[in-house]
Amino acid sequence: MRYDDSSPPPESDAPVSPDRPWFARRSTLIVTAAALAPACLAGWVLTQVVAGSGHHGQDAKPGTAAATGPRAAASASPSGSPSTPAKPGAPAKLTGRTVVIDPGHNTGNFKHTSEIDKQVDIGTADKECDTTGTTTNSGYMEAEFTLDVSQRLRTVLEAQGAKVVLTHEADRPWGPCIDERARIGNAAGADAVVSVHADGVSAGSRGFHIILPAKVKQGAADTAAIVEPSRRLGERIAGNFARTTGSAPANYLGSGTGLVVRDDLGGLNLSTRPKVFIECGNMRDAKDAAQLTSPEWRQKAAQGIADGIVGFLGG
Ligand SMILES: [Zn+2]
């Protein structure tokens, strides 16, 4: 499928060492980040070209990517085990906050190819309304994965007092289109928006990455106001996701930071609220797929995303 065709080769055949993952050093990193965050951020900025990012085949135009390091991503979440809900009597950290969760794709999209192939205006270009998403080699659909993680994420966030809106929930035959997904977050006045995905690239490519909005201003797209807060949101989620899941940042893009910037995604270009995508792993890699198909792992994934949102919103 096109998303496989557009994938860059892995930067290394070797996965990130499980012995010394960067997130294991977070205690030191937290101190470092607290003391030196501005300098670290300024000094860590990398620039690279992402030659297409996996399954978002509708987004074949390579984007310019920049990434900051994991130092600022390692956040000091106080939460306990991944499945631990808010303690009874504990203050709800997200009361009064609205979070929009966007489960990537739709399990019915493959039956509605003419509808999802319709072009929509994302400001910088015309793009397909939506795509089918990828699957594991055994047929577990990305759209099943994204909805499951999103529903788990909603449960965790609601336990913290948040108002949570999902862009869809198996309640429509296809879509929504990417422009509508963005508008739902905008209309809700969301304090944070997360679009949940999993990648579909070659076996051996492993790990998660967060996609941050590039600064774009064209047509209906104007991301100037969300670039900086979206980066902070993404960094928080990256650090917490790594901690709760034990997964490493992607070994095939992002230079090991788990962060990339793209200017070709309608869901980001049209957002007026802080927003990121998360690609939770590679469905086409057997080891990643074993995690993605595990309900227990998906709960950890949801908890990590939730902890990142809480950190971003100052909980
Ligand atoms: Zn996707």
Side-chain angles (χ1 to χ4, degrees):
M1 298 178 76
R2 74 172 82 174
Y3 28 79
D4 288 325
D5 293 341
S6 65
S7 306
E11 294 174 1
S12 165
D13 291 333
V16 175
S17 168
D19 296 324
R20 287 184 55 77
W22 58 264
F23 47 86
R25 304 190 298 274
R26 72 180 188 278
S27 295
T28 301
L29 295 171
I30 289 165
V31 174
T32 303
L36 301 172
C40 287
L41 283 170
W44 196 282
V45 173
L46 304 172
T47 301
Q48 71 172 93
V49 172
V50 177
S53 178
H55 78 281
H56 289 284
Q58 82 276 23
D59 309 314
K61 172 174 164 269
T64 300
T68 61
R71 305 175 195 205
S75 65
S77 169
S79 66
S81 66
S83 59
T84 303
K87 293 176 183 173
K93 298 174 180 174
L94 298 180
T95 300
R97 302 288 199 162
T98 298
V99 179
V100 171
I101 306 168
D102 176 37
H105 316 282
N106 182 316
T107 54
N109 276 1
F110 75 96
K111 300 177 192 169
H112 296 272
T113 53
S114 62
E115 289 94 338
I116 67 169
D117 284 346
K118 178 173 158 284
Q119 299 283 299
V120 298
D121 182 358
I122 67 163
T124 53
D126 287 337
K127 300 290 291 289
E128 286 86 357
C129 153
D130 205 5
T131 54
T132 59
T134 188
T135 68
T136 65
N137 291 335
S138 60
Y140 180 57
M141 296 177 70
E142 180 188 357
E144 296 176 84
F145 170 83
T146 65
L147 182 58
D148 181 82
V149 170
S150 295
Q151 291 172 330
R152 293 172 185 275
L153 176 55
R154 174 175 59 192
T155 298
V156 177
L157 293 171
E158 286 182 340
Q160 297 282 357
K163 176 186 176 185
V164 179
V165 177
L166 265 60
T167 58
H168 74 99
E169 194 168 7
D171 53 355
R172 48 181 298 160
W174 54 273
C177 295
I178 54 177
D179 57 337
E180 183 180 351
R181 291 172 188 264
R183 283 198 295 270
I184 291 170
N186 298 345
D191 296 295
V193 188
V194 177
S195 188
V196 179
H197 290 261
D199 217 344
V201 293
S202 57
S205 298
R206 296 198 60 195
F208 72 89
H209 67 278
I210 313 289
I211 304 174
L212 311 174
K215 186 174 181 178
V216 296
K217 183 174 174 60
Q218 187 175 345
D222 184 356
T223 60
I226 68 162
V227 166
E228 188 276 334
S230 298
R231 175 173 289 276
R232 285 192 284 109
L233 172 63
E235 289 171 344
R236 288 285 191 164
I237 291 175
N240 283 283
F241 189 86
R243 177 180 56 80
T244 61
T245 64
S247 290
N251 65 0
Y252 57 98
L253 78 182
S255 302
T257 65
L259 302 169
V260 301
V261 174
R262 289 178 62 172
D263 64 4
D264 61 331
L265 295 175
L268 295 179
N269 285 3
L270 298 175
S271 182
T272 60
R273 315 302 301 175
K275 181 172 182 178
V276 300
F277 281 40
I278 180 167
E279 300 280 1
C280 294
N282 175 18
M283 301 197 91
R284 295 293 184 175
D285 177 85
K287 291 179 180 175
D288 271 14
Q291 296 179 319
L292 296 163
T293 55
S294 159
E296 292 78 17
W297 189 90
R298 293 197 296 271
Q299 185 65 32
K300 295 176 183 177
Q303 185 70 45
I305 298 168
D307 288 349
I309 292 169
V310 170
F312 169 70
L313 293 176

